[in-house]
């Protein structure tokens, strides 16, 4: 369709034909486009670029991620940072002696956030270059400053440096959200540190643990992620003012071969943009290893939350724990009684997506040629924002779940009681041997009775292993009361309760004491549908 023309689909039997000029029900002057597309009329969709519901929208923005993270990666933020970078460059160049007038910089400042995206799009359609399109659009708004915009710079001066700023802000928000999830899980772990529950290995009942101890496993994974985020923030640097291939040759020309001034220019711009240091060497771009490391960090968060989310889905299946469920929430459109673990399921789905993006960073870093190749651009436009939006959405959900978990204590007690006779068999074996029984014979008696009871339980019967052993002649020397005393679940949880207390007081509290002052309170983020 030609530039500026509108169009619509007119549905004929089994045929979709696109026409120029729009639709006028009183007109017969519609001109059919050549080669009409033959499709079933069911799939004919009216075409109008002005109707947003007729264009794909990223669910990360419309359903899942917070407005706060979405704002960091918005066009306004991105291009506003470009303009601030151009101002910082012009200011620094003037401070170091270039002929740039204060009025020119003031003219830029006056319109720094007044971005005419339509004019920029107009220029980009002609120039096929997004950075130069915005140079021209801003030059029209600030004509006196037009000659000094982007002076000496290459495109990566604004694109790479702005993305590093966005990455820094995003990591800070991720850190803040991690602190909130960890806090909520720590509170849950402390509350339920003494509540025995079945442990599982191979997804089969195993030695008991406690609800609180299990929560520390989820918590510690996220603590490792928090430490990695802090490391990424502490080592993240600025690209700075490096020129077209990283040699700063153009700036050396601008400053008549004065190396000291070029070095000072790099430092000044770096400091003005909020960084304490720049990467010591770059090509045209900063090393794409940095992106790969950041994506690996976000993938780690996805891994931790997927594991915790999967555990919660299993426990909700067993009715031992429940995630928040709103008063009017519907679990199933057909089965009205259902209470599905929607939040934990969504975490798992989003986590798989975020984990998958890690490979993009690795492949992009590996595929860069010499000082730079542009095949990184389209991939990074997708990968970096979506990885952060996905991780943000995951942590919003995780905070909501962790702060609202509901424990079903009676169900947990019943499940533990059903399995405790099996758990007690080793202790019963020791009691029988201490009473004079043959250890090997006792072992065989317990084995035979246990298998028979397990078969009975699998058919819906009760676990009567204690009664069977108490009545067996092999255990005649052990009072039934002594056998029954070994069924107390708390006697089988080892140091689980103590481990929770030690983890919280000796490890987690000092870490949170360090992290909380750095972590701002994130804006309230609603769990999307």
């Amino acid at each position: 369709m030609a530039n500026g023309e509108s169009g619509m689909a007119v549905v004929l039997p089994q045929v979709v034909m696109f026409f120029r000029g729009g639709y006028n029900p009183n007109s017969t002057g519609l001109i059919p486009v050549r080669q009409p597309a033959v499709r079933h009329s069911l799939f004919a969709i009216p075409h109008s670029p002005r109707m947003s519901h007729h264009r794909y929208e990223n669910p990360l923005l419309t359903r899942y991620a917070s407005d706060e993270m979405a704002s960091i990666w918005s066009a306004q933020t991105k291009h506003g940072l470009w303009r601030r970078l151009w101002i910082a460059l012009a200011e620094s160049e003037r401070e170091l002696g270039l002929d740039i007038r204060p009025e020119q910089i003031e003219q830029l400042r006056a319109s720094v956030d007044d971005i005419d995206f339509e004019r920029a799009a107009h220029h980009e359609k002609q120039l096929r270059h997004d950075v130069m399109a915005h140079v021209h659009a801003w030059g029209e708004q600030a004509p006196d400053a037009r000659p000094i915009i982007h002076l000496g710079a290459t495109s990566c001066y604004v694109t790479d440096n702005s993305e590093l700023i966005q990455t820094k802000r995003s990591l800070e928000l991720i850190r803040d959200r991690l602190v909130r999830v960890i806090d909520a899980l720590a509170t849950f772990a402390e509350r339920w540190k003494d509540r025995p529950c079945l442990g599982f290995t191979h997804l089969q009942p195993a030695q008991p643990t406690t609800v609180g101890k299990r929560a520390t496993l989820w918590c510690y994974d996220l603590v490792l992620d928090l430490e990695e985020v802090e490391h990424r923030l502490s080592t993240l640097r600025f690209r700075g003012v490096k020129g077209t291939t990283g040699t700063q040759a153009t700036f050396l020309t601008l400053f008549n071969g004065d190396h000291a001034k070029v070095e000072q220019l790099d430092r000044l711009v770096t400091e003005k943009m909020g960084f304490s240091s720049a990467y010591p060497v770059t090509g045209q771009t900063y090393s794409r290893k940095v992106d790969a490391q950041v994506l690996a960090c976000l993938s780690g968060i996805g891994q931790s939350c997927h594991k915790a989310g999967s555990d919660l889905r299993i426990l909700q299946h067993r009715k031992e724990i429940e995630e928040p469920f709103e008063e009017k929430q519907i679990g199933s459109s057909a089965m009205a009684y259902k209470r599905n673990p929607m939040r934990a399921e969504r975490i798992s789905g989003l986590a798989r997506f975020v984990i998958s993006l890690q490979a993009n960073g690795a492949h992009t870093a590996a595929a860069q040629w010499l000082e730079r190749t542009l095949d990184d651009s389209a991939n990074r436009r997708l990968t970096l924002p979506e990885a952060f939006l996905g991780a943000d959405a995951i942590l919003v959900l995780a905070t909501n779940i962790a702060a609202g978990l509901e424990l079903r204590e009676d169900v947990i007690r019943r499940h533990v009681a059903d399995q405790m006779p099996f758990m007690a068999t080793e202790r019963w074996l020791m009691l029988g041997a201490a009473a004079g029984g043959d250890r090997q014979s006792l072992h065989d008696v317990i084995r035979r009775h246990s298998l028979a009871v397990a078969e009975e339980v699998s058919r819906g019967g009760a676990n009567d292993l204690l009664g069977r052993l108490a009545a067996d002649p092999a255990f005649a020397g052990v009072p039934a009361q002594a056998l029954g005393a070994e069924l107390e679940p708390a006697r089988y949880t080892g140091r689980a309760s103590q481990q929770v207390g030690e983890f919280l007081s000796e490890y987690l509290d000092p870490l949170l004491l360090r992290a909380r002052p750095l972590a701002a309170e994130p804006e309230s983020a609603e769990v999307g549908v």
Side-chain angles (χ1 to χ4, degrees):
M1 207 171 293
N3 181 34
E5 293 178 337
S6 62
M8 66 164 293
V10 177
V11 179
L12 300 176
Q14 306 297 319
V15 177
V16 179
M17 302 183 71
F18 287 88
F19 297 92
R20 296 192 184 96
Y23 173 66
N24 182 344
N26 299 315
S27 170
T28 58
L30 299 175
I31 304 172
V33 177
R34 296 174 192 171
Q35 298 175 338
V38 179
R39 302 190 186 105
H40 192 283
S41 59
L42 175 65
F43 300 106
I45 301 175
H47 175 76
S48 172
R50 294 186 297 274
M51 298 175 67
S52 64
H53 291 291
H54 288 209
R55 291 177 62 84
Y56 172 78
E57 292 181 327
N58 192 322
L60 286 168
L61 295 174
T62 58
R63 298 175 71 91
Y64 303 135
S66 69
D67 289 341
E68 197 171 356
M69 185 63 80
S71 175
I72 292 173
W73 292 96
S74 69
Q76 181 66 44
T77 297
K78 172 181 176 177
H79 296 296
L81 286 171
W82 286 12
R83 290 188 170 191
R84 284 165 172 79
L85 283 159
W86 280 321
I87 290 173
L89 180 62
E91 283 181 339
S92 301
E93 289 173 335
R94 180 180 181 277
E95 291 170 18
L96 292 171
L98 293 191
D99 185 18
I100 295 173
R101 303 190 311 277
E103 312 88 75
Q104 291 176 301
I105 294 174
E106 285 308 310
Q107 194 172 71
L108 292 177
R109 286 190 175 281
S111 58
V112 65
D113 287 317
D114 182 20
I115 302 171
D116 190 335
F117 287 100
E118 290 187 5
R119 286 300 294 166
H122 168 77
H123 287 301
E124 186 171 357
K125 190 164 188 178
Q126 296 178 325
L127 304 174
R128 298 297 178 185
H129 197 289
D130 56 346
V131 173
M132 286 306 299
H134 278 268
V135 168
H136 281 269
W138 203 14
E140 292 171 353
Q141 291 178 283
D144 291 344
R146 186 176 186 273
I148 57 101
I149 299 173
H150 202 61
L151 182 60
T154 187
S155 296
C156 285
Y157 167 69
V158 290
T159 56
D160 271 32
N161 281 323
S162 63
E163 285 158 357
L164 286 166
I165 295 169
Q166 289 170 296
T167 295
K168 181 182 178 184
R169 292 179 182 176
S170 297
L171 284 171
E172 289 170 343
L173 179 55
I174 291 296
R175 176 194 61 199
D176 302 345
R177 296 210 185 283
L178 276 170
V179 168
R180 293 190 71 186
V181 180
I182 291 168
D183 249 339
L185 284 175
T187 300
F188 181 83
E190 171 65 27
R191 180 180 179 186
W192 299 109
K193 66 181 181 181
D194 298 322
R195 168 56 57 203
C197 66
L198 287 178
F200 284 85
T201 59
H202 311 278
L203 203 53
Q204 301 299 311
Q207 194 174 71
T209 182
T210 70
V211 173
K213 172 62 191 299
R214 178 176 284 145
T216 64
L217 302 182
W218 305 329
C219 192
Y220 184 58
D221 282 351
L222 292 170
V223 165
L224 294 176
D225 296 321
L226 177 59
E227 291 174 339
E228 181 63 19
V229 168
E230 289 180 323
H231 177 64
R232 296 269 69 89
L233 279 168
S234 69
T235 57
L236 191 70
R237 299 182 182 183
F238 202 53
R239 174 193 177 273
V241 181
K242 297 297 194 293
T244 53
T245 59
T247 66
Q248 300 177 307
T250 305
F251 295 104
L252 196 61
T253 300
L254 280 174
F255 287 101
N256 298 314
D258 191 329
H259 288 263
K261 283 191 174 181
V262 175
E263 290 179 33
Q264 181 65 6
L265 177 69
D266 202 0
R267 286 194 294 269
L268 281 173
V269 173
T270 296
E271 291 168 3
K272 287 177 186 290
M273 298 310 298
F275 284 78
S276 59
S277 62
Y279 291 112
V281 292
T282 72
Q284 187 174 98
T285 70
Y286 66 83
S287 172
R288 294 307 185 223
K289 286 278 288 185
V290 175
D291 294 343
Q293 290 166 343
V294 168
L295 290 169
C297 174
L298 299 178
S299 170
I301 293 170
Q303 294 160 33
S304 300
C305 291
H306 194 297
K307 188 264 190 283
S310 297
D311 286 355
L312 288 169
R313 290 162 66 188
I314 292 169
L315 294 171
Q316 289 183 81
H317 165 73
R318 292 175 55 81
K319 306 300 182 185
E320 293 189 2
I321 202 167
E322 298 286 358
E323 65 180 42
F325 195 88
E326 298 166 28
E327 182 181 355
K328 294 186 178 181
Q329 184 174 330
I330 294 174
S332 167
S333 63
M335 296 167 281
Y337 63 88
K338 294 195 74 178
R339 177 172 174 161
N340 294 333
M342 171 268 286
R343 288 163 169 81
E345 289 175 318
R346 184 171 298 166
I347 283 179
S348 296
L350 289 169
R352 288 198 300 275
F353 174 71
V354 173
I355 292 168
S356 75
L357 296 178
Q358 178 182 1
N360 282 273
H363 286 301
T364 297
Q368 290 302 286
W369 297 351
L370 305 175
E371 280 65 48
R372 199 271 164 96
T373 180
L374 194 61
D375 67 348
D376 65 338
S377 179
N379 187 283
R380 294 174 70 253
R381 285 176 192 263
L382 295 167
T383 304
L384 286 175
E386 292 190 359
F388 276 112
L389 290 164
D392 174 75
I394 289 167
L395 292 174
V396 168
L397 283 164
T399 303
N400 175 267
I401 292 174
L405 285 173
E406 300 175 15
L407 207 65
R408 299 291 185 252
E409 292 187 80
D410 290 341
V411 177
I412 292 174
R413 287 192 191 96
R414 185 171 69 248
H415 287 163
V416 171
D418 287 344
Q419 296 296 323
M420 276 312 301
F422 297 126
M423 306 295 168
T425 54
E426 186 175 5
R427 294 196 180 194
W428 288 341
L429 177 63
M430 295 301 102
L431 287 175
D438 179 275
R439 190 265 181 203
Q440 313 314 327
S441 298
L442 291 169
H443 183 278
D444 189 61
V445 169
I446 292 173
R447 182 187 65 83
R448 287 186 285 104
H449 283 305
S450 295
L451 292 176
V453 169
E455 178 67 21
E456 186 69 23
V457 169
S458 71
R459 298 177 183 276
N463 189 330
D464 63 346
L465 182 58
L466 172 60
R468 292 189 185 212
L469 291 178
D472 193 291
F475 281 89
V478 182
Q481 186 178 2
L483 293 174
E486 299 300 331
L487 294 178
E488 172 52 50
R491 301 181 67 176
Y492 292 81
T493 59
R495 299 191 65 252
S497 178
Q498 289 78 7
Q499 286 177 339
V500 172
E502 292 162 4
F503 171 72
L504 296 178
S505 63
E506 298 175 15
Y507 184 81
L508 191 58
D509 288 348
L511 183 143
L512 291 177
L513 194 63
R514 183 181 76 248
R516 281 196 191 99
L518 299 174
E521 184 73 14
E523 293 178 7
S524 177
E526 183 179 354
V527 173
V529 296

